[in-house]
Amino acid sequence: MEVVNRYLETQASMCFSILYDRYAGKIFGKCLVLLKDEALAQDATQEIFTKIFLNLSGFGEKAKFSTWVYSITYNFCIDFLRRRKKMQSLFDDDTEVERLKDVADDVADEELMEMETAHLRAVLDRLPADDRTVLLMKYQDDMSIKDIASMLDKTESAIKMKLKRAKEKAYRFKQEMFTEAVL
Amino acid sequence: MKVNNFKTIQEEDERYYAQQWQEKGRTALQNALSFCKLLGQIAEVYVPRAVEVLLSATDAGQTPSGRYRSPDMPDNDKGPGGPSAYSDGRL
């Protein structure tokens, strides 16, 4: 926060560099998982950073700076994907019939968090973008259900349900893609 | 310590970004921000002047009350000696 204030006062390039070094890689990582294209992720990172620096004076200190940065990142990626019409029903309660009946209980967080990184990448790659988004918010950024709900403009119960379904889908994909191959 | 491979993925991507894109990205971003700053400065200096110029230009053709009239300028309603016969309605 001190760096942000100093940048606003002095526009010092050192403060710019500190903020850039701290967040650019994280933003790029999220864009890469959400947009699934390295060049697009790179362009998105630049645009998001431009937005961040141009709106820095509007940061209200109500939330953590990182939460504010990530909310800009997620909103940018969601808007981008919507514009490309790849996910018109993003975060809408879809009527898609989901094959979740074989998942008896809730999937434990550890099942996802302890998945091998290569497997986790493959599973995330296969998930719809809205499911990827909530999983990243929850497990990568440690955001609370309340924060996710307010960021996506949804109710907390809708987010809980979305998260539950996303976890179940991820678990099912993991089983389909990796467990069966071993057997 | 609890294993969380979502964070491991993020760390891997951060390392990859640092190797491949960081410097290029920083330079491009600094250029973009300098350009925005320049545009802002231009707007700051020239927009108020442009508004003033526009206002003075519109003022010039406005109401008679606001218009400058030289004392030597003849009054259309009056002849050299007072109101004309036409304006009095006598002719």
Side-chain angles (χ1 to χ4, degrees):
Chain A
M1 208 41 243
E2 200 187 311
V3 181
V4 174
N5 287 332
R6 207 181 313 157
Y7 178 78
L8 285 172
E9 282 164 18
T10 63
Q11 305 276 304
S13 62
M14 191 191 74
C15 301
F16 166 86
S17 288
I18 292 172
L19 291 174
Y20 184 78
D21 291 345
R22 196 175 291 170
Y23 290 104
K26 290 184 173 68
I27 292 173
F28 173 77
K30 290 182 201 315
C31 293
L32 190 59
V33 173
L34 292 172
L35 305 177
K36 299 202 281 186
D37 182 293
E38 195 180 321
L40 279 181
Q42 162 63 10
D43 289 346
T45 305
Q46 294 301 107
E47 285 193 45
I48 289 164
F49 249 104
T50 310
K51 267 190 175 184
I52 288 170
F53 278 101
L54 293 180
N55 293 299
L56 212 49
S57 56
F59 170 58
E61 295 187 38
K62 284 178 190 166
K64 278 164 66 183
F65 183 68
S66 59
T67 309
W68 183 71
V69 167
Y70 298 151
S71 78
I72 293 175
T73 305
Y74 285 119
N75 284 323
F76 181 92
C77 291
I78 289 167
D79 285 347
F80 180 88
L81 291 169
R82 270 200 189 124
R83 278 202 304 272
R84 281 184 28 169
K85 297 191 176 178
K86 280 207 162 178
M87 36 194 266
Q88 286 170 319
S89 61
L90 184 70
F91 295 110
D92 289 346
D93 295 329
D94 52 12
T95 52
E96 169 201 0
V97 179
E98 293 173 18
R99 295 180 295 137
L100 301 171
K101 286 169 189 160
D102 51 340
V103 182
D105 298 315
D106 281 355
V107 175
D109 289 349
E110 288 74 22
E111 289 281 357
L112 299 183
M113 294 196 301
E114 292 175 8
M115 209 185 289
E116 275 182 49
T117 52
H119 293 183
L120 185 56
R121 277 186 194 278
V123 165
L124 285 172
D125 209 41
R126 199 174 150 187
L127 281 171
D130 49 348
D131 290 333
R132 286 202 299 275
T133 306
V134 286
L135 289 178
L136 289 192
M137 286 175 164
K138 171 79 178 156
Y139 297 109
Q140 203 167 71
D141 305 331
D142 301 316
M143 287 172 64
S144 66
I145 299 288
K146 193 179 167 190
D147 285 345
I148 298 173
S150 97
M151 199 178 282
L152 298 174
D153 199 21
K154 294 280 169 193
T155 63
E156 288 184 38
S157 56
I159 294 300
K160 277 182 195 165
M161 183 53 70
K162 188 89 207 150
L163 204 51
K164 182 177 182 295
R165 286 181 179 177
K167 281 164 69 179
E168 286 167 351
K169 270 188 219 169
Y171 183 72
R172 180 162 52 82
F173 287 161
K174 180 202 157 198
Q175 285 191 315
E176 281 174 15
M177 291 160 79
F178 303 108
T179 315
E180 285 165 14
V182 171
L183 292 175
Chain B
M1 197 182 143
K2 214 173 173 182
V3 177
N4 183 350
N5 281 334
F6 281 89
K7 290 194 188 287
T8 313
I9 282 180
Q10 187 174 35
E11 285 158 15
E12 285 175 3
D13 289 340
E14 276 183 68
R15 276 198 296 275
Y16 177 76
Y17 185 80
Q19 287 166 3
Q20 298 290 322
W21 295 101
Q22 189 120 336
E23 284 311 311
K24 277 184 233 167
R26 189 203 308 272
T27 311
L29 188 61
Q30 273 174 331
N31 290 341
L33 288 174
S34 304
F35 181 67
C36 289
K37 206 171 165 182
L38 180 71
L39 282 183
Q41 284 167 343
I42 288 171
E44 203 176 343
V45 171
Y46 288 105
V47 168
R49 295 292 302 154
V51 171
E52 275 174 35
V53 168
L54 279 174
L55 283 177
S56 60
T58 50
D59 264 0
Q62 256 189 0
T63 59
S65 59
R67 198 167 50 186
Y68 173 75
R69 174 175 278 181
S70 156
D72 303 332
M73 199 186 284
D75 192 330
N76 286 344
D77 296 338
K78 296 176 182 177
S84 73
Y86 293 101
S87 61
D88 284 353
R90 280 177 284 154
L91 290 173

